[in-house]
Amino acid sequence: MLQKPRGTRDFLPDEMESRREVEGMMRKVARTWGYREICTPEFEELELFTIRSGEGIIQEMYVFEDKGGRKMALRPELTAPVLRMYVNEGRTLQKPLRWYYFADCFRYERPQKGRYRQFWQFGVELIGADSPIAEAEVIMLAHEALSSSGISFSLHVGHLSFMRVLLQELEPDEQKRARMFLDKKDTAGLEDYLSSRDHSGLSDRLIALAGCRDLKEACAITGDNPDRKRIEDLFTILDQSGICYTLNPGIARGLDYYTGMVFEAFAENLGAENQVLGGGTYRLAHLFGGEDTPSCGFAIGFDRVMVARGDKGTAGGVVIGLAFTPEGRGWALTVAREFRRAGICISFDLSGRSIGQQISHISRTADFALIIGARERDEQVVTLKDLRSGMQKELTLSNALCEVRGADPR
RNA sequence: GCCAGGGUGGGGUAGUUGGUUAUCCUAGGGGACUGUGGAUCCCCCGACCCGGGUUCGAGUCUCGGCCCUGGCCCCA
């Protein structure tokens, strides 16, 4: 038997329905903030992704050569394609641009809980705005979009300039090593490394900063910071916004293209891959041939959100099965048409067996059985049986519609 | 790329020191029963992840691979 490719998933209707429900809530949130949906190609020129991240990421991407000999890649993320799109066709649009996307991405990685080779991201990009209020907007929108999914999460907001100020006395490769130690919370390793490099005074301050959760404290640790005013503005707005967040100056991540504010969200019961959202302020447009444009955005790991939600069922609508005899078929077709026009889900029993057998089959999945035979046809009525109570009534079509509309699905 | 634990019908399972036709439950399909039913009875469908080795004989032992689950690494 053929199997699906490693790291991919099939979705049965139940799961698909709940995915669409969550997706719909996120879309709705984005729309109410004035963000509009865009779509970019599933594959791009490989260079689009290596230009920023280097050749190293090729081994983690689906890369192929097309029939014209071009090096292509399935998109591993959306930010670069969106900014490429902005440079190609968004430059003359009025700024700022508020865009969102819901799209699948591909990465060639070892699958595990919450990590798949094909996965979906919901994200937004705010292009052409450069202010604390713009950054705050993106954070607030992220918070609302994630909240709408119903999961519980913690939101961490930081700013790269804290770390940058402390690290500026180090060489670039030393900075990288120091960040690595901080990421792993290896304080002893960091201390050893920095004292071996004649920066022994630095490790205490770095460790204090990474653990710091208070703005005044963070500013005290870092001292002179050219971005201080702006950072204070940002956090003042966030405090006014009413969202719940944690200041975390230690967020460094491996993202070299972020320029200032960075933020992340983590969900519970997700195992090792518990980050469900990442975002920040960045500048990418100039890499793709555009003007240097300030941008801010985030991406939600949609599949991880779904894992974190667990098996929450979705409330579907009422479902009706239609049992009919050959004599009643014409009338049954008319009745079904009217139910569908009213937006109610109704399916014929396709077996052509006896009414009893049809109902027996229907009763396993539906809320109501509608029975139509010669008798109903002659009187232009329907027999509606509530399968939960066992009660049944002979009703006119419009009365049957009313009856069903007022009912709750099982 | 590394580590651990796994892989028997669609799902869940039994399978003895290696020994007939691989167990049971469930789901699915069909029939008995031609207008009141989710029942009952009967039937059907359908599996040892793949390949090599040991053996008279492998679901069982062994090696390699694939895949799954979790962790490490990475995380644009």
Side-chain angles (χ1 to χ4, degrees), chain A residues 114-409:
Chain A
R115 176 192 282 186
Y116 309 98
R117 289 183 171 178
Q118 183 195 20
F119 59 98
W120 275 260
Q121 286 194 337
F122 180 91
V124 315
E125 307 295 346
L126 172 58
I127 300 169
D130 185 16
S131 63
I133 185 74
E135 292 173 337
E137 170 171 309
V138 170
I139 296 168
M140 292 186 282
L141 172 51
H143 184 274
E144 195 175 325
L146 213 45
S147 298
S148 74
S149 73
I151 66 166
S152 51
F153 60 92
S154 61
L155 182 67
H156 290 230
V157 184
H159 200 286
L160 294 180
S161 72
F162 291 117
M163 278 294 166
R164 212 176 275 143
V165 167
L166 289 190
L167 292 171
Q168 64 190 356
E169 60 183 85
L170 301 179
E171 300 298 315
D173 57 315
E174 291 175 327
Q175 293 189 10
K176 210 173 173 185
R177 284 289 295 275
R179 275 194 193 181
M180 214 179 66
F181 284 117
L182 280 172
D183 263 2
K184 289 182 181 165
K185 300 189 168 60
D186 182 0
T187 53
L190 180 69
E191 234 163 291
D192 290 348
Y193 176 70
L194 288 179
S195 55
S196 77
R197 296 297 208 148
D198 281 341
H199 293 288
S200 47
L202 196 54
S203 59
D204 285 348
R205 294 167 72 200
L206 282 171
I207 292 161
L209 183 66
C212 174
R213 296 293 177 266
D214 180 81
L215 183 58
K216 280 204 175 75
E217 236 175 81
C219 291
I221 294 168
T222 51
D224 243 8
N225 186 338
D227 292 323
R228 177 161 179 176
K229 174 78 173 68
R230 183 174 173 140
I231 293 170
E232 283 171 346
D233 281 353
L234 169 64
F235 285 101
T236 303
I237 298 169
L238 289 182
D239 289 337
Q240 290 170 342
S241 74
I243 65 169
C244 181
Y245 73 97
T246 306
L247 170 73
N248 185 348
I251 298 177
R253 306 187 67 196
L255 321 177
D256 297 327
Y257 68 90
Y258 282 122
T259 53
M261 185 276 290
V262 286
F263 67 116
E264 304 177 328
F266 301 90
E268 287 146 29
N269 61 45
L270 258 186
E273 303 288 331
N274 66 340
Q275 188 182 337
V276 290
L277 176 147
T281 301
Y282 61 89
R283 283 167 188 269
L284 276 180
H286 62 285
L287 289 178
F288 307 139
E291 265 176 72
D292 191 20
T293 309
S295 312
C296 191
F298 68 82
I300 290 174
F302 187 79
D303 306 274
R304 292 182 188 175
V305 169
M306 296 310 294
V307 174
R309 284 181 100 229
D311 288 327
K312 279 187 192 164
T314 48
V318 166
V319 173
I320 302 178
L322 204 169
F324 63 100
T325 64
E327 302 79 48
R329 191 179 64 197
W331 176 229
L333 286 165
T334 304
V335 168
R337 201 157 53 230
E338 289 307 315
F339 271 81
R340 290 180 186 133
R341 272 180 59 182
I344 295 162
C345 166
I346 185 165
S347 317
F348 295 104
D349 184 279
L350 304 174
S351 68
R353 289 175 294 192
S354 74
I355 290 289
Q357 286 171 306
Q358 291 186 49
I359 292 169
S360 159
H361 192 251
I362 287 166
S363 59
R364 298 167 83 161
T365 51
D367 305 297
F368 291 91
L370 207 56
I371 300 151
I372 295 178
R375 219 160 53 223
E376 285 82 2
R377 175 200 58 189
D378 293 343
E379 295 166 34
Q380 293 289 286
V381 294
V382 301
T383 299
L384 180 70
K385 184 179 183 67
D386 186 327
L387 291 166
R388 290 152 308 179
S389 65
M391 303 289 287
Q392 76 176 47
K393 302 176 194 169
E394 233 172 61
L395 299 166
T396 63
L397 178 49
S398 58
N399 284 343
L401 279 166
C402 288
E403 184 87 15
V404 166
R405 252 198 286 257
D408 295 317

Side-chain angles (χ1 to χ4, degrees), chain A residues 22-32 37 100 102 122:
Chain A
V22 174
E23 175 196 332
M25 291 186 289
M26 291 182 180
R27 285 179 186 280
K28 196 172 161 190
V29 169
R31 274 200 301 270
T32 59
E37 184 175 15
Y100 83 86
F102 178 77
F122 180 91

